[in-house]
Amino acid sequence: MRTTVPVVIAFLSGLVLAVSIFFRPDKTIIGQLEPELLVWVTIIGGFTLFLGAVSITRVNFNAVQRRKKGWGYSLLTLISVFVMALPSLLPSTWSPLFGDAEGSIYDWLFQYLDKPMMATMFGMLAFYIASAAYRAFRARSAEATILLLTATLVMLWRVPMGEAFLRSIHTALPEWINTYVMNGVNMAVQRGIIIGAALGAASMSLRIILGIERTYMGKG
Amino acid sequence: MNFWNKIDTLDRRWVYLLVAISVILPFILPVKLPVYITPETQQLYDAVESLPDSSIVMLTFDYYPSTIAETEPMSRVALHHLFRKNIRIVTVTTVPLGGPSMAEQVTREMAEQYGKVYGVDFVNLGYKANYVAVLKGMGSSIEAIYPTDNLSTPLSELPLMNEVKNYDDIDFIYVVADNGIVDYWISIVNALYGTPVGCGVTAVMAPKFYAFVSAGQMTGLLGGMKGAAEYELLLGQPARATTGMDAQSLMHLLIIGLVLMGNIGYFAGRRQKGKKA
């Protein structure tokens, strides 16, 4: 029962959404089902976010309660989640500090803590990339050398200083890189990857609809 | 230990110091080298430029706060261009973490500059979970997916939304993103509903989308901060992206220099080992 019901739901939902595209929504029941199902999906999506909040609270609360290693971080996580979430859930009609509009507690925390911290974390990648490029990007083989030369050309082409340098060698060099590297070799390879990934996604969807793929239920 | 051995085993803290200097120095001593326009940026600019007065454009804020250095300048140039042309804007986001707040803040700030009125000239729909369903659902009815805007105002109370029922009423979709959502704007919205889609994406994502531009499924492409700088130049309003170009230039040159030095050190070391053997 625990396996059959989800498989039947997945089969029916997948089938309706796949078939409904061939039916007019204003004339047929199956055509009308599609927009209805899509609204359901967004509602279920909202519940999954709630489930995520419950899960993060449970895991971190347990860690704090049992004083597990690094429980201080769990406590900070819990404080962050609730300080950010609770005021934003309260109606802004009670106080301008509630809700998520400009001037609210949520907005203040987002603008002055969350946003700069996330940008800083991402910005730190520049240091690691520079260090990793210095250590790992070596012309050890013919393939690595081709990659190295192409990457160097594209990196030069993508910035004004590099572009000025390329133009000093030949005025049309940046346009050649755009035409032959980005719109040539790069595009051909990307098309192969995109088509391969799309075929993979289609076959995986079919496996789920037909009940062959069941890992989403925690079964192998 | 000779010079090249030392280069090969250089302490990473020196690399970090050079990176910090390369990023900070251009802001103190700007070089302001010319920015050249790529055909993909020109195509996006022309697509927006060719829209008639009072058209309706859907602008997306599909990015996380972590990439704002690259993506926010794109949102700003898009808003500049759209408001300047008296185009009405509907903003949406598929990113729960900060997407609605960033859309709200940036759009209202720009709208104030152009004297635009919320609900009449622009609307922020905010975020709804499960982006594939959201993108597909808006093809039938935007109101069914977003019964209210980001600040919980019913769509029926917003004059602009009385004219926008689904993608048939949208003239162009301007996607600014830092994640895989762009694929769905193309494969679901452009392919199924035929609405033209133009994109601004992070530099690391851009190579993937040349295939879509070439196929005509994407109308123009901004790649990273350079793309935004090119757009600023086309608008004649140099701003954040143009300022950032010097730092990015120096950073790219530093990485190329480091890779070059690393390789010279590597080959010099190998040659020495060969001689000893």
Side-chain angles (χ1 to χ4, degrees):
Chain A
M1 191 70 173
R2 290 179 69 178
T3 310
T4 314
V5 173
V7 167
V8 170
I9 293 172
F11 175 75
L12 289 174
S13 311
L15 190 73
V16 168
L17 285 170
V19 170
S20 63
I21 197 168
F22 302 104
F23 294 86
R24 287 184 59 170
D26 52 338
K27 292 271 168 79
T28 58
I29 293 172
I30 199 157
Q32 285 166 359
L33 270 175
E34 190 213 39
E36 199 60 41
L37 269 180
L38 291 171
V39 174
W40 286 18
V41 175
T42 58
I43 294 168
I44 293 166
F47 278 104
T48 60
L49 285 177
F50 177 69
L51 205 64
V54 171
S55 174
I56 201 170
T57 307
R58 207 176 63 176
V59 169
N60 287 289
F61 186 76
N62 280 341
V64 174
Q65 205 175 28
R66 291 174 191 172
R67 295 286 192 276
K68 283 184 182 171
K69 194 183 170 194
W71 66 272
Y73 296 115
S74 294
L75 184 65
L76 266 178
T77 307
L78 284 173
I79 293 169
S80 306
V81 167
F82 284 100
V83 167
M84 195 95 180
L86 286 179
S88 73
L89 292 170
L90 297 171
S92 54
T93 45
W94 291 4
S95 162
L97 294 175
F98 299 149
D100 57 1
E102 207 179 333
S104 63
I105 293 172
Y106 170 87
D107 185 61
W108 194 90
L109 290 170
F110 173 74
Q111 297 294 350
Y112 302 109
L113 276 175
D114 202 11
K115 206 165 133 179
M117 281 196 297
M118 284 184 80
T120 306
M121 289 298 288
F122 196 71
M124 279 166 71
L125 274 180
F127 292 89
Y128 301 128
I129 286 171
S131 174
Y134 177 61
R135 271 157 224 293
F137 216 179
R138 301 278 157 89
R140 287 195 170 94
S141 62
E143 292 90 339
T145 311
I146 294 170
L147 188 66
L148 191 74
L149 290 173
T150 317
T152 307
L153 275 178
V154 173
M155 280 181 74
L156 283 171
W157 167 72
R158 279 310 292 172
V159 288
M161 271 186 209
E163 201 172 342
F165 170 71
L166 291 171
R167 281 189 197 280
S168 70
I169 299 169
H170 194 288
T171 47
L173 197 51
E175 281 76 32
W176 288 348
I177 294 171
N178 193 37
T179 309
Y180 298 110
V181 179
M182 299 310 289
N183 280 295
V185 183
N186 164 65
M187 194 167 73
V189 174
Q190 294 290 352
R191 275 193 175 142
I193 295 169
I194 293 164
I195 292 168
L199 288 173
S203 67
M204 180 56 89
S205 304
L206 204 61
R207 281 171 65 87
I208 291 172
I209 290 170
L210 297 176
I212 302 164
E213 180 63 50
R214 296 176 180 200
T215 45
Y216 68 93
M217 287 186 281
K219 293 178 192 298
Chain B
M1 189 183 269
N2 68 16
F3 175 73
W4 292 113
N5 287 129
K6 278 183 187 171
I7 288 292
D8 199 27
T9 54
L10 185 72
D11 190 328
R12 70 184 62 190
R13 283 172 295 185
W14 287 110
V15 176
Y16 294 164
L17 182 68
L18 285 171
V19 171
I21 292 169
S22 315
V23 173
I24 297 164
L25 196 66
F27 287 100
I28 303 163
L29 301 166
V31 185
K32 289 181 182 167
L33 277 165
V35 175
Y36 296 93
I37 314 292
T38 53
E40 292 76 20
T41 305
Q42 185 71 53
Q43 192 187 2
L44 182 54
Y45 177 85
D46 291 343
V48 175
E49 196 62 24
S50 65
L51 291 170
D53 200 54
S54 294
S55 298
I56 298 169
V57 167
M58 184 172 269
L59 175 66
T60 81
F61 283 73
D62 294 330
Y63 53 86
Y64 290 88
S66 49
T67 61
I68 48 169
E70 275 190 288
T71 44
E72 202 176 283
M74 293 184 206
S75 300
R76 285 179 183 275
V77 290
L79 286 162
H80 261 306
H81 200 185
L82 298 169
F83 279 141
R84 198 166 84 173
K85 274 189 65 63
N86 283 323
I87 289 169
R88 291 168 297 164
I89 304 167
V90 177
T91 60
V92 290
T93 179
T94 54
V95 169
L97 187 61
S101 300
M102 288 190 289
E104 197 75 35
Q105 185 218 346
V106 177
T107 313
R108 283 188 189 268
E109 190 188 313
M110 304 291 282
E112 213 174 286
Q113 283 182 36
Y114 286 89
K116 300 292 178 185
V117 180
Y118 187 79
V120 178
D121 301 304
F122 69 102
V123 163
N124 180 17
L125 293 180
Y127 167 79
K128 276 281 179 287
N130 212 321
Y131 52 81
V132 174
V134 170
L135 263 54
K136 202 156 188 302
M138 285 198 292
S140 307
S141 166
I142 291 176
E143 200 170 7
I145 301 293
Y146 287 96
T148 62
D149 72 351
N150 188 46
L151 298 176
S152 305
T153 312
L155 293 201
S156 54
E157 291 177 18
L158 301 164
L160 174 58
M161 294 316 290
N162 290 328
E163 289 181 49
V164 187
K165 299 298 169 201
N166 53 37
Y167 293 128
D168 290 342
D169 307 311
I170 304 280
D171 298 290
F172 190 79
I173 298 174
Y174 203 128
V175 178
V176 180
D178 68 357
N179 57 72
I181 186 69
V182 184
D183 294 26
Y184 297 98
W185 282 108
I186 299 162
S187 64
I188 295 175
V189 182
N190 178 263
L192 279 179
Y193 304 98
T195 315
V197 174
C199 294
V201 296
T202 54
V204 76
M205 288 166 67
K208 180 181 179 182
F209 298 105
Y210 281 80
F212 294 110
V213 176
S214 164
Q217 291 167 294
M218 191 187 266
T219 314
L221 171 70
L222 302 184
M225 196 189 272
K226 167 82 174 357
E230 290 172 28
Y231 211 102
E232 284 176 1
L233 186 69
L234 286 167
L235 287 171
Q237 288 175 310
R240 289 182 189 190
T242 311
T243 313
M245 274 299 92
D246 283 344
Q248 202 171 52
S249 289
L250 212 59
M251 191 59 212
H252 276 213
L253 294 183
L254 174 71
I255 290 180
I256 291 169
L258 286 171
V259 170
L260 201 69
M261 267 174 54
N263 274 282
I264 293 171
Y266 168 69
F267 283 110
R270 258 190 16 172
R271 208 174 145 190
Q272 264 189 349
K273 273 182 196 165
K275 273 183 186 172
K276 278 180 189 169

